[in-house]
Amino acid sequence: MAEVQVQEKGGKGGKVRSKKQSTRVDMTPMVDLGFLLITFFMFTTTFSKPNVMDLGLPAKPKDEKQKPPPTEIKLSNSISILLGKDNRVFWHQQDATSLNDQTLMETTLDREGIRKVIQQAKSRAADQTKFTVIIKPTDDAVYKNFVDILDEMAITKSEQYGVTDIKPWEKAVYEKKVGGAAAPAAATK
């Protein structure tokens, strides 16, 4: 603990002076207490566990003969969601011939946006048990938006959804809608 050291000086008579005392604090118990506290908090702290999203993917067939035929999804039982740049989300229920920049609709990632769109499309579906959401991220899409859409699948209880590449005809309409199609450069002399 703390101890007081007294120095005695033998001197010849004269005035009696008060003795100066120097104090020295032993820091060992405080260091021990510090290590005990650190150890206590390390053992009692719960570390956050990473949240893992369960994404079931089909097994890759070993033979080309075992490959299942491509699945055809009716337009009345599906909705296509395109994830674009700058947190923009577009949706449609059209085929290649009827999709244009007026039928490619834009929405937001909140509950009044994409959630309402999915719920309305599901309620209008011809067979609600086979309703499928097709998610198509563009090259400019942000991973956070993809995770948000997967969260919306859980919230809206849309159990059938797929992730695929954007088709060329959809990409052309998307680029026309966002103004991403580059205009040809003017010729200079």
Side-chain angles (χ1 to χ4, degrees):
M1 294 290 187
E3 59 186 59
V4 178
Q5 296 177 350
V6 180
Q7 292 180 347
E8 295 184 27
K9 291 186 179 177
K12 300 179 183 174
K15 290 184 181 177
V16 177
R17 293 185 181 171
S18 63
K19 298 178 181 175
K20 291 186 180 178
Q21 299 177 350
S22 64
T23 58
R24 187 178 144 261
V25 178
D26 186 14
M27 295 296 289
T28 306
M30 188 179 286
V31 171
D32 288 346
L33 180 66
F35 279 113
L36 283 172
L37 286 173
I38 289 172
T39 306
F40 172 77
F41 287 120
M42 283 177 57
F43 285 131
T44 58
T45 303
T46 57
F47 295 106
S48 63
K49 294 179 176 72
N51 296 332
V52 178
M53 185 174 294
D54 211 11
L55 188 63
L57 299 174
K60 189 173 183 178
K62 294 180 182 178
D63 295 339
E64 290 294 321
K65 297 173 186 173
Q66 293 178 345
K67 196 171 189 178
T71 306
E72 282 293 323
I73 301 172
K74 293 182 182 177
L75 288 175
S76 61
N77 285 336
S78 69
I79 183 171
S80 295
I81 298 175
L82 280 68
L83 302 175
K85 65 180 177 180
D86 299 328
N87 298 328
R88 294 175 76 181
V89 180
F90 299 93
W91 64 276
H92 70 86
Q93 289 181 293
Q94 308 293 325
D95 59 358
T97 58
S98 59
L99 182 66
N100 57 35
D101 56 339
Q102 281 80 32
T103 56
L104 182 64
M105 308 299 290
E106 185 171 3
T107 187
T108 58
L109 281 168
D110 58 4
R111 75 172 60 147
E112 295 301 317
I114 193 67
R115 187 176 304 169
K116 194 174 262 188
V117 168
I118 292 171
Q119 289 171 339
Q120 289 173 352
K122 192 173 187 177
S123 67
R124 288 190 311 258
D127 185 4
Q128 292 184 5
T129 60
K130 294 183 179 179
F131 180 73
T132 306
V133 178
I134 305 167
I135 304 167
K136 300 176 180 183
T138 62
D139 293 337
D140 304 325
V142 181
Y143 184 73
K144 178 190 175 300
N145 294 345
F146 181 73
V147 172
D148 289 343
I149 288 293
L150 291 181
D151 288 342
E152 291 297 328
M153 296 300 104
I155 292 169
T156 58
K157 295 182 177 66
S158 299
E159 295 176 359
Q160 291 186 355
Y161 58 90
V163 180
T164 185
D165 293 330
I166 187 169
K167 303 239 185 302
W169 50 272
E170 288 174 316
K171 188 170 186 170
V173 173
Y174 163 76
E175 287 178 351
K176 184 178 178 187
K177 181 95 172 181
V178 298
T188 57
K189 292 184 181 179

